Amino acid sequence: MAVHQLHYIAVVVVLIVSSSHAFDISYNATHFYVSLNGVELIRHSPEEPFLYVGSGIPTFEGQFGNYDVEDFVEERIALIDFLVDDQDPISVHFTLSRLDMLQVEIRFVTDVDGSLYYGEFVSLSDGINRVWMRLVAEEDEHVFGGGSQFSHLNMRGKKFPIWIQEQGVGRDKNYEITFKADQRDGGGGDYYTTYWAQPTFVSSRLYYAHFDTTTYSELDFRADDFHEIQIWGNSPSQFHFFTGSSYIELLQGLTGYLGRQPMPPEWIYNGTILGVQGGTEAMLNYIQMAEDHGIKVSGVWIQDWAGRITTSFGRRLFWNWEWSPEQYPNLDTVIPELKQRGIRVLVYANPNLNRLGGLYQEAVNADFLIKNSSGDPYIVDYGEFFCGIVDFTNPNASQWYKDRIIKQNMLDLGISGWMADFGEYLPIDAVFYSGAKGTDIHNEWPAIWAQVNREGVEEGGKMGDILFWMRAGYTGSQRYSVMTWAGDQFVDYGLADGIASVIPGTLSLGMSGYGMNHFDIGGYTSLFDVTRTEELFLRYAEMAAFTTMMRTHEGNRPDENWQFYSSSHTMYEFARHTKIYVALNDYVNSTIRENHELGIPVQRPLFLHYEDDERVYNIQYQYMFGRDLLVAPVIEQGRETWDVYLPTDDWIFLWDEDITSAGGETLTVPSPMGHIPVFFRSQSQWADTFRQLRDIEAVTVTPGPPESMTTSRSSTAMASHFLLAICLTIMASFW
Ligand SMILES: *[C@@H]1O[C@H](CO)[C@@H](O)[C@H](O)[C@H]1NC(C)=O
Ligand SMILES: *[C@@H]1O[C@H](CO)[C@@H](O)[C@H](O)[C@H]1NC(C)=O
Ligand SMILES: *[C@@H]1O[C@H](CO)[C@@H](O)[C@H](O)[C@H]1NC(C)=O
Ligand SMILES: *[C@@H]1O[C@H](CO)[C@@H](O)[C@H](O)[C@H]1NC(C)=O
Ligand SMILES: *[C@@H]1O[C@H](CO)[C@@H](O)[C@H](O)[C@H]1NC(C)=O
């Protein structure tokens, strides 16, 4: 939209209120106000207008899923004037000046039966590709959500771009790791970079706002007296509001609209999923070693099931989603044997297909791949191996992925789940079957990918028995995805990308309508000679016992990083954490049910249950695990004690009946390895279950390499011999 044109066009906003029951609109010649059930949302005056429109020229630069998004704003015009057509429903026309003609039409809809209250952009004049809306804010207001936000649970004071991408390495521009990652390939990230960003927030003024757009948007919470939401493109679609008397009511409303997650398969309650690789024999040996040390195992996850290929970086997973009998001999007969023993086998898939694989060729022949502007398959270089992307905007391509890969290659083989990886890298200059623009579909893609997985499982008749887990997400994932994980944490204690970051990442996702999450036990990314220590692995493990589910990952450099099998001491300690998780099964199950039925997340910010305590609103490294457990994970190295803030309630320390509190105070409690600071509510119906956790003892062995093991000679020999074999067979791999 050129500058000169705008002087001749007017801006009209039409507000139609179809019921005065919920939206309350009052106005005079210069001001108008919109409230919902007493919560003031819009306050328009000539000095502080509600709506701005304009145009901008964006640039999206990036590689490997890291984006640098810039905007050159050409126009930004406040819509100051308005006209009211005082009928039922009321129409309100906003104009820049009454002589102009530029048309923006918004209709406000109250759907009392569906409990939906939304504004709808009915049309925008040509040329407008930016909309800015301002909502009423108060100085001491807090806001939460925005998808999975790893740095800030309370988003007030910051601006959050909503654009799906890699979460970044380090995620803090003042952190050395981030600096090095930026130097390396621009992958350092920042406080807002995440696999799951979402234009949704819950306010401490007890309303939620959700924006139904799929284009790039921004939630800007920096101003004292307004929140500004920016939406790109020419169809900002709907914006939803909902009020309630509590956060729980708000989340019920939000998940009522966005969808709720199903109950996960019950077999996850039987212990941890072990992330291992290296072939059938190695897999069976790991399971044996785990069970010999008392580790409760519910599944084994082999991401290299489709085999490996060699690049100059080393051996990488072969992205051709079918069982490789060379890599995993007899897997088809081993799977049912393991299932008999209560151990499920899980694999790995993503939307990409390696050009060297048979499935790529099938997809090319059927014309199922995303194209580039010259009509050829769009090839993405994932670091010396080249892949096409299945075009899920083509219903036949989605059906093919479901039939050929999910049902035939995975479900028919007997596997019980997979990491449904990626979803962030969708190139914006690609050409899609549906005709969608890359910038319009980029954010939505993870939800579409989740839908393909979900439908594949449903069509295969396996809902309730299959676990697929995703890191990428967006509006819509609530309805389709059956589990999330927190992505690729760096193997350290950095606040923005280390062990701590999984906590706000999970809590903010819960405030965005997705209430189940888990993480790679031990973290994932090891770079710049930083490697996972035993302490870090075990701090992750003790926290994982107080989450929805447990799963280990060997990380991107398995042989350089501490693993569950790196020492007998680690295995015995880890065994105890899996036993704690299993002992909590009934409680976990009932908590997950609250998420499934009511949208109350499994891990909850403290303010969900203690909203009158102003101090809890800025606590983001403690959480409620269900209604009755308050968890304060140790997120620093070498700590023997830890400070825990307790809101007013009757609390008992999980590990020592003598440490109690009536709350409203910070207590310093012992926090040796293996004893994560947890309090339970004394009146909990589960109090005895919690007390019994004290009796779960680890077998005592001296920390150190397997050689120092004293308790079991035979498995010592096996462990060290086996470790050598692992070092020889497993090479570092990124994906
Ligand atoms: C409209 O109401 C506001 C207060 O809500 C007042 O400040 C303003 O002067 C009024 N404008 C007119 C034209 O009456
Ligand atoms: C879980 O473990 C128990 C006890 O080992 C076993 O009886 C049960 O069958 C297992 N459940 C599943 C779903 O594997
Ligand atoms: C499209 O991809 C093909 C290979 O698949 C390549 O040869 C061609 O140059 C690409 N075209 C564009 C415009 O990038
Ligand atoms: C999708 O498959 C159906 C049935 O095989 C076929 O009739 C239709 O033409 C296909 N559509 C496309 C776009 O390939
Ligand atoms: C989970 O809860 C449901 C009912 O709410 C029950 O049928 C099921 O047995 C429970 N499972 C476990 C493992 O506790």
Side-chain angles (χ1 to χ4, degrees), residues 359-429:
L359 288 167
Y360 172 88
Q361 212 47 59
E362 268 180 53
V364 169
N365 295 343
D367 201 13
F368 286 160
L369 296 177
I370 287 168
K371 299 198 171 88
N372 67 15
S373 56
S374 33
D376 296 309
Y378 195 113
I379 300 297
V380 180
D381 176 4
Y382 282 93
E384 249 181 72
F385 71 106
F386 299 91
C387 297
I389 309 168
V390 179
D391 188 347
F392 297 133
T393 71
N394 178 348
N396 287 2
S398 297
Q399 196 60 46
W400 174 80
Y401 197 99
K402 290 186 272 183
D403 291 341
R404 194 66 186 83
I405 296 176
I406 294 178
K407 289 181 239 169
Q408 192 178 330
N409 289 353
M410 303 203 290
L411 298 184
D412 288 354
L413 183 62
I415 64 101
S416 293
W418 53 92
M419 175 184 273
D421 205 7
F422 284 91
E424 311 86 6
Y425 285 49
L426 194 71
I428 57 161
D429 56 345

Side-chain angles (χ1 to χ4, degrees), residues 28-31 33:
N28 62 18
T30 53
H31 292 56
Y33 306 92

Side-chain angles (χ1 to χ4, degrees), residues 24 33 86 176 212 250 283 326 426 478 547 556 575 716-717:
D24 178 14
Y33 306 92
D86 198 358
E176 188 193 356
D212 249 353
L250 294 177
M283 173 184 79
E326 294 74 42
L426 194 71
Q478 286 83 358
T547 66
N556 64 321
T716 302

Side-chain angles (χ1 to χ4, degrees), residues 272-289:
T272 185
I273 296 171
L274 296 174
V276 299
Q277 33 190 347
T280 308
E281 207 186 320
M283 173 184 79
L284 293 173
N285 284 338
Y286 284 120
I287 293 170
Q288 193 58 51
M289 193 161 37

